[in-house]
Amino acid sequence: MRRTPLAWLNLTHDRRRLALALAGIGFAVLLMCMELCFRQALFDSTVAVIRHMKADLVITSRAQYTIIVRETFDRLRLAQALGCPAVASAAPLYIETRRSTLKNRKTGEALPIRVLAFNPDRPVFDMPEVESRLADLRLPDRALFDEKSKQEYGDIVPKAAPIELSGHDLKVVGLFSLGTDFANDGNLITSDVTYQRLFPTFTGQDPLDQVDFGLLRLKPGSNVREVQRELSSRLPEDVTVLTKQEFESQERSFWETSTPIGYIFWIGTLMGFIVGSVICYQILYTDVADHLPEFATLKAMGYANRYFIWVILQEAVLLSIFGFVPGVISSEIICRIVAMLTGLKVGVHAVTALVVLLMSVVMCIVSGSLTVRKVMAVDPAELF
C-alpha cells in the first residue's frame, strides 16, 4: 500500500505560506553563509601573499607574530643560511606599509598602500604576471600595480602617466592580481633598488640591510624538516626558521585567536543559527497548530507518537534543504559583488556550503523536535 507523503503535503498545500517559510529559512542560511564566507575571506586574503611565495623555508624575526606588523632582521642571516649545503638560494623580501602612500591623481588624496620589493634577479613570487615583467622591474622607478586594489586609488593604467608614491614618481609597467586584505587596500611591487630610493632610513643606514622575510629554496632531494632543524641550530636566536605551511598557519592563528575579528564572525554565525531556529520553530508550530484536529484524528485512529515525530522531522529537513538553495545562491551573488568592490577573496567554497547545509539541517531538526511536543501532548478527547 502506498503511503501518503503527509510531511510534503502539509508543507505544499499553501504555496504562499511555503514561499514565506523558505524566505525565512533562506535568510537565516544567508546570514550564516555570509559570516563564514567573510571569515574565510579574512584568512584567504591575509595569507594570499604567503601562498604566492617561492620558498621551502622562511626566515623571520624572532619577534614576528603576524605579517602586518613589521619586525625585521639583519640581511647577514641570509648569507649565513647559504652556508648550509642544502640551501640553494636565499632571497630577501621587503614590505613597507607605514610610509608608503599612493596619491590619487584626480582627488589629490594620498592613500596607504602595501609595497612589496625584491631583487628581480632572485624573484620571490610564483605569479606569472610578475615573472614576465622582471626585466622591466630591473629599471629604476618601475612598479607593478595590483589590479584588485580598491578603486579609491584611481584608474591606473600600465605605461600611462606616472603614479606618485610617497612623493616619488613611478612608472607602472604592468599589472598583477593578488587582492586586498583586512589590513591593506592595495599592493605595489617594485625592485629592491627602487625600494631603496623610495624609503631611505633616518639613520643613513642602507634600508636593504634590514629584511622583512628571507625566502629559502632548497636543493632537490633535501629534507625540509632536517634543513629547518639544522638552520635553527646554526642561526642566531634573533630569527626563526619556519616551513611555508607553518608560516601560513601562524598567520591564520593570529587572526583567529589573537584578534576579535575571528570571534565576531563565529558569533555572527551563531546568531544566524539562532534566528533560523526561531523562524523554523514558528513555521512548524503554526503548521502543527493549524492541523491539530487532523493530528488528533490520526492519534485516535491508533497512530503512535513516533509517526508524528517522523512527520514533523521530515518537514523540518525539507524546509532546511529547500531554504538552503536560495540562501546559498543569494550568498554567492553577494560575495561576487563584494569581491568586485573590495578585491577581497570572498566566495562560497564547497566546504563552506556543506557546513552551512549541515547547520541548516540541524537548525530545523532542533526546531522540529521542540514542535513535536505539542503534537504528542494533544488529547483527541479534548478536541472532539
Side-chain angles (χ1 to χ4, degrees):
M1 183 177 66
R2 184 180 178 184
R3 289 195 173 190
T4 302
L6 186 58
W8 173 257
L9 294 175
N10 277 352
L11 286 178
T12 59
H13 81 284
D14 187 338
R15 300 296 176 86
R16 182 178 179 184
R17 175 182 290 182
L18 176 62
L20 292 174
L22 296 184
I25 301 299
F27 177 71
V29 169
L30 175 66
L31 286 179
M32 293 188 293
C33 198
M34 291 307 302
E35 291 292 337
L36 290 177
C37 285
F38 285 143
R39 178 179 177 273
Q40 188 62 42
L42 165 67
F43 297 142
D44 289 345
S45 300
T46 303
V47 303
V49 66
I50 298 175
R51 290 177 177 174
H52 283 292
M53 291 179 178
K54 299 171 66 174
D56 298 306
L57 294 172
V58 180
I59 298 179
T60 72
S61 167
R62 176 72 65 176
Q64 188 81 45
Y65 57 92
T66 174
I67 197 172
I68 65 172
V69 176
R70 191 174 193 201
E71 297 289 348
T72 60
F73 61 91
D74 198 304
R75 186 168 54 175
L76 177 62
R77 302 292 174 259
L78 298 183
Q80 293 171 332
L82 283 173
C84 177
V87 177
S89 66
L93 174 63
Y94 305 93
I95 300 179
E96 179 59 56
T97 57
R98 292 174 294 182
R99 294 182 292 164
S100 52
T101 56
L102 180 60
K103 186 176 182 179
N104 185 313
R105 292 292 192 182
K106 290 185 177 180
T107 65
E109 185 179 7
L111 302 170
I113 191 169
R114 180 169 61 181
V115 175
L116 307 167
F118 60 89
N119 184 342
D121 293 327
R122 287 183 284 174
V124 298
F125 294 120
D126 62 1
M127 293 180 281
E129 57 267 44
V130 175
E131 294 183 331
S132 64
R133 294 291 180 181
L134 294 177
D136 293 321
L137 287 178
R138 290 187 180 95
L139 300 174
D141 300 329
R142 300 294 191 272
L144 302 176
F145 180 72
D146 186 356
E147 61 184 348
K148 288 189 176 181
S149 298
K150 288 189 176 179
Q151 299 177 355
E152 285 80 357
Y153 295 109
D155 187 17
I156 297 179
V157 180
K159 299 182 180 179
I163 61 173
E164 185 178 324
L165 178 69
S166 301
H168 299 267
D169 285 342
L170 294 183
K171 185 175 182 180
V172 176
V173 293
L175 302 175
F176 67 98
S177 180
L178 180 60
T180 64
D181 56 37
F182 282 69
N184 302 285
D185 294 334
N187 299 284
L188 277 173
I189 289 179
T190 68
S191 69
D192 54 349
V193 175
T194 299
Y195 174 89
Q196 188 180 39
R197 293 159 58 95
L198 287 170
F199 308 111
T201 62
F202 298 108
T203 60
Q205 183 184 10
D206 186 350
L208 300 183
D209 285 344
Q210 292 299 310
V211 178
D212 290 271
F213 302 104
L215 309 187
L216 307 183
R217 301 293 300 274
L218 305 184
K219 294 178 181 178
S222 300
N223 185 298
V224 175
R225 290 294 184 183
E226 289 182 1
V227 178
Q228 181 187 22
R229 286 192 292 268
E230 182 177 350
L231 287 173
S232 297
S233 62
R234 279 174 172 249
L235 298 177
E237 294 184 354
D238 60 342
V239 294
T240 301
V241 182
L242 303 172
T243 65
K244 186 176 177 180
Q245 184 59 48
E246 288 174 342
F247 189 29
E248 180 178 330
S249 298
Q250 174 181 280
E251 190 66 21
R252 290 175 65 92
S253 177
F254 168 78
W255 285 97
E256 186 170 15
T257 62
S258 300
T259 70
I261 298 178
Y263 297 106
I264 289 173
F265 287 134
W266 277 123
I267 292 173
T269 304
L270 177 62
M271 293 303 298
F273 182 88
I274 294 174
V275 168
S277 299
V278 173
I279 293 174
C280 186
Y281 176 78
Q282 291 293 334
I283 293 168
L284 293 174
Y285 185 90
T286 302
D287 182 73
V288 168
D290 289 347
H291 296 92
L292 211 54
E294 288 84 350
F295 282 119
T297 301
L298 292 174
K299 211 169 189 182
M301 293 171 61
Y303 282 86
N305 281 333
R306 64 175 177 272
Y307 174 77
F308 302 111
I309 294 174
W310 175 240
V311 170
I312 299 301
L313 292 183
Q314 276 185 302
E315 290 188 40
V317 172
L318 289 172
L319 279 175
S320 68
I321 295 174
F322 293 150
F324 168 79
V325 175
V328 78
I329 291 176
S330 301
S331 299
E332 178 62 23
I333 293 173
I334 294 175
C335 283
R336 292 189 179 188
I337 295 174
V338 171
M340 181 179 64
L341 295 177
T342 65
L344 290 172
K345 297 179 180 296
V346 188
V348 182
H349 302 291
V351 174
T352 301
L354 180 60
V355 170
V356 173
L357 176 59
L358 292 176
M359 292 182 68
S360 176
V361 172
V362 171
M363 171 183 76
C364 291
I365 287 178
V366 169
S367 301
S369 301
L370 296 175
T371 308
V372 163
R373 295 181 304 172
K374 185 172 180 63
V375 180
M376 296 176 63
V378 66
D379 185 356
E382 294 179 358
L383 293 174
F384 299 103

